[in-house]
C-alpha cells in the first residue's frame, strides 16, 4: 500500500507540482489549502498519514501554527513534517523546528531533493 502524504499550501499550482512528483514516485496524496484545512483533512483521513509537507506563509492558519496544533494531536504527534517555503530566514526555521518540523526546503523546489527528503522521513 502506498504511503500517504498531506500537502498543505495555499498555492494550488504548487500543490499540483508537488502532487505530480509524489504520485509519480508512488505516494498517495491528500491536499489542504491552509493550516485549518490541513487539520480538517487529517481528521477526515481514513488512512494513516505518513508525512506532511507544509508551506509557512498561508492565510487563515500559517504553517508554524499548523505544526504546533498538529503536534498536540496524539494520533499525529510523531508524524514528520517538511516545511516547503519561500522563506529562508533563520528565525522562521528555528520556529518551525521548535514547533516540530523535521526538514526545511525552499521554493522553487528540486523534485529529486524533495523525493529524497520524503523517502528519508515518511514513516511506515
Amino acid at each position: 500500500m502506498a504511503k500517504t502524504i498531506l500537502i498543505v499550501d495555499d498555492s494550488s499550482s504548487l500543490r499540483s507540482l508537488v502532487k505530480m512528483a509524489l504520485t509519480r514516485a508512488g505516494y498517495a496524496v491528500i491536499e489542504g489549502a491552509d493550516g485549518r484545512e490541513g487539520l480538517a483533512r487529517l481528521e477526515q483521513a481514513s488512512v494513516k498519514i505518513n508525512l506532511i509537507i507544509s508551506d509557512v506563509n498561508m492565510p487563515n492558519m500559517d504553517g508554524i501554527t499548523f505544526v504546533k496544533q498538529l503536534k498536540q494531536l496524539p494520533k499525529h504527534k510523531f508524524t514528520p513534517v517538511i516545511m516547503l517555503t519561500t522563506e529562508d530566514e533563520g528565525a522562521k526555521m528555528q520556529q518551525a523546528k521548535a514547533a516540530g518540523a523535521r526538514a526545511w526546503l525552499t521554493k522553487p523546489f528540486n523534485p529529486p531533493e524533495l523525493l529524497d527528503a520524503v523517502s528519508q522521513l515518511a514513516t511506515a
Side-chain angles (χ1 to χ4, degrees):
M1 191 161 99
K3 290 183 178 180
T4 302
I5 298 172
L6 170 64
I7 304 167
V8 182
D9 197 302
D10 58 317
S11 167
S12 60
S13 58
L14 185 99
R15 287 195 317 269
S16 293
L17 288 172
V18 173
K19 182 177 183 175
M20 190 182 328
L22 293 171
T23 54
R24 284 183 180 163
Y27 296 99
V29 175
I30 297 173
E31 299 178 47
D34 59 41
R36 285 187 189 155
E37 192 173 306
L39 291 173
R41 294 287 184 262
L42 287 170
E43 286 190 24
Q44 297 164 357
S46 59
V47 296
K48 175 182 166 76
I49 303 298
N50 303 96
L51 177 78
I52 297 167
I53 298 172
S54 178
D55 189 9
V56 172
N57 298 311
M58 298 180 286
N60 302 315
M61 181 186 291
D62 68 89
I64 294 172
T65 302
F66 166 71
V67 174
K68 287 178 183 175
Q69 291 193 17
L70 164 81
K71 295 301 181 177
Q72 298 301 310
L73 303 172
K75 185 176 178 183
H76 300 289
K77 185 176 183 175
F78 299 108
T79 304
V81 179
I82 296 173
M83 304 307 288
L84 179 61
T85 180
T86 56
E87 288 281 347
D88 61 358
E89 184 184 318
K92 287 272 189 194
M93 289 182 198
Q94 289 304 316
Q95 288 175 353
K97 186 175 180 181
R102 299 274 305 275
W104 187 279
L105 297 173
T106 54
K107 298 175 189 173
F109 72 98
N110 174 336
E113 183 182 2
L114 175 69
L115 292 172
D116 183 51
V118 167
S119 70
Q120 290 182 38
L121 293 173
T123 58

